[in-house]
Amino acid sequence: MNSQVALWVGFHVFVVAMLALDLGVFHRKDHAVSPKEAGIWTAVWISISLLFCLGIGFFRGSELGLQWLTAYVVEYALSVDNLFVFLVVFSYFRVAPEHQHRVLFWGILGAFLMRATLIITGTALVTRFHWLIYIFGAFLVFTGVKMLLSKEDGEAADPEQQAVVKFARRVLPVARQGTGSHFFVKEDNRTKVTPLFLVLLVVEATDLLFALDSIPAVLGITQDPFIAYTSNVCAILGLRSLFFLVARLMEKFHFLKVGLSIILCFVGVKMLLTSIKFHFHEAVSLGIIALILASSIGASLLWPKAAEEPLPEGVKPPEPKQDQERVKG
């Protein structure tokens, strides 16, 4: 077994072992994740990721180490957008807090497979057809500008309208009611999927949509498949605990969307500038991205979002659409 294969195998063995420890020991029983527990796990995943980055820098050189860290920071930052959508999805389907970790856990496994396919395919295509880097760059600039100018996404506020849910209901037997944290249940002498399984499908579809932005962004930083993939995986691993840590605070960071759109544009412009042989040093790129993130978070804290005007007396807020298939705890 050569060293490259050993790296890939060793990384996946470690990830599977950590996930098994997470689900089989620490979350064997369904429970609502407390902010303290989420904070501990967030610190654990970030510490593991930074140690892995140090290993990359030590064994493969400081340049690749900086590429890994930059890709990790970009992916972690862009993944925050996923948290907003997850929050809306769980709220809409009324997923009980004690079941949310299980959905995110299995969603992570699906994300590994999708992103591995996209990254390996993307790096192979860019290596073979270098002009694709300019298309990816233009796409990132377009996406960044669109994100900056767009208003709140109405579709994200109503996951029921997503095509994946409609399609799943047409082709899958859906149980009338969920049973705890199970994805499948026996009903009318048939095995049916529960509403919680539909939530999992929405989470997977959401990650795929966000990967269409984040994967080109990572390829703008590095075309090394191992660096791109492992930085993505490490960022995704820390996403679950981060969700439970900042779920209640996400509305406060209202300028973060502006920062993320600027980061996408910056990486896109970097890719386009390769046509004139202009290259940002990895340390400079990392510093610029970190500055953009810190500025957007700082601006959110300095200029808080204005509170919504209260409804006039006697006026009730609109009722959400009732759906007997929403998840009950």
Side-chain angles (χ1 to χ4, degrees):
M1 181 183 293
N2 61 45
S3 59
Q4 193 69 14
V5 173
L7 277 175
W8 282 92
V9 172
F11 178 77
H12 283 96
V13 168
F14 173 76
V15 169
V16 170
M18 288 298 295
L19 289 175
L21 184 67
D22 185 358
L23 188 65
V25 178
F26 295 105
H27 294 93
R28 184 170 54 184
K29 294 183 179 179
D30 292 334
H31 66 279
V33 179
S34 67
K36 180 181 178 181
E37 180 184 357
I40 292 172
W41 273 104
T42 300
V44 167
W45 287 121
I46 291 177
S47 299
I48 290 173
S49 299
L50 293 179
L51 286 173
F52 186 80
C53 179
L54 288 175
I56 292 288
F58 182 78
F59 289 105
R60 300 192 62 185
S62 59
E63 184 175 345
L64 283 180
L66 281 172
Q67 286 182 10
W68 192 97
L69 184 59
T70 305
Y72 173 77
V73 171
V74 168
E75 178 60 30
Y76 208 75
L78 292 176
S79 294
V80 172
D81 252 9
N82 292 40
L83 303 186
F84 285 95
V85 178
F86 293 162
L87 188 62
V88 173
V89 169
F90 289 156
S91 175
Y92 182 87
F93 285 98
R94 298 176 185 171
V95 180
E98 60 267 24
H99 300 152
Q100 293 175 5
H101 180 274
R102 183 177 177 83
V103 174
L104 291 178
F105 177 90
W106 291 107
I108 292 298
L109 295 183
F112 288 167
L113 296 175
M114 287 188 293
R115 286 170 185 259
T117 303
L118 290 172
I119 288 172
I120 293 172
T121 303
T123 52
L125 287 174
V126 169
T127 301
R128 187 175 178 83
F129 308 106
H130 187 264
W131 50 267
L132 285 174
I133 203 79
Y134 309 127
I135 295 178
F136 287 159
F139 173 74
L140 287 179
V141 173
F142 170 77
T143 304
V145 172
K146 183 180 177 183
M147 181 188 294
L148 186 63
L149 300 178
S150 67
K151 297 180 180 179
E152 294 297 326
D153 188 0
E155 286 298 308
D158 188 6
E160 184 71 356
Q161 298 304 314
Q162 292 200 34
V164 64
V165 177
K166 292 182 177 181
F167 178 76
R169 284 185 173 154
R170 280 200 297 267
V171 302
L172 296 174
V174 181
R176 289 185 291 274
Q177 179 132 358
T179 305
S181 60
H182 297 291
F183 294 125
F184 303 94
V185 67
K186 277 282 188 180
E187 186 179 272
D188 302 326
N189 294 322
R190 295 178 63 195
T191 299
K192 296 184 178 181
V193 299
T194 64
L196 194 65
F197 185 81
L198 298 184
V199 178
L200 178 61
L201 290 181
V202 173
V203 168
E204 296 286 11
T206 299
D207 182 76
L208 177 60
L209 290 175
F210 279 100
L212 297 179
D213 292 340
S214 64
I215 298 303
V218 170
L219 293 179
I221 297 165
T222 178
Q223 279 89 57
D224 186 305
F226 185 76
I227 300 297
Y229 175 69
T230 54
S231 60
N232 253 254
V233 168
C234 287
I236 295 171
L237 284 172
L239 188 61
R240 292 168 303 143
S241 54
L242 185 65
F243 170 82
F244 296 107
L245 182 63
V246 305
R248 299 175 185 175
L249 304 175
M250 284 190 290
E251 283 298 322
K252 294 183 181 293
F253 302 136
H254 54 286
F255 281 118
L256 189 58
K257 179 181 175 183
V258 177
L260 296 179
S261 63
I262 295 173
I263 288 173
L264 285 177
C265 290
F266 169 69
V267 176
V269 169
K270 266 189 61 182
M271 298 169 85
L272 293 174
L273 288 177
T274 58
S275 62
I276 58 173
K277 308 299 182 183
F278 185 85
H279 176 69
F280 282 94
H281 190 273
E282 278 72 21
V284 175
S285 296
L286 178 60
I288 291 173
I289 290 168
L291 180 62
I292 294 171
L293 282 176
S295 299
S296 60
I297 293 173
S300 300
L301 298 176
L302 285 174
W303 295 285
K305 192 174 184 179
E308 293 184 2
E309 291 291 329
L311 292 172
E313 188 175 351
V315 177
K316 295 182 178 180
E319 296 262 344
K321 183 172 63 175
Q322 295 299 316
D323 189 337
Q324 65 177 356
E325 294 186 5
R326 292 192 190 177
V327 179
K328 296 178 174 60

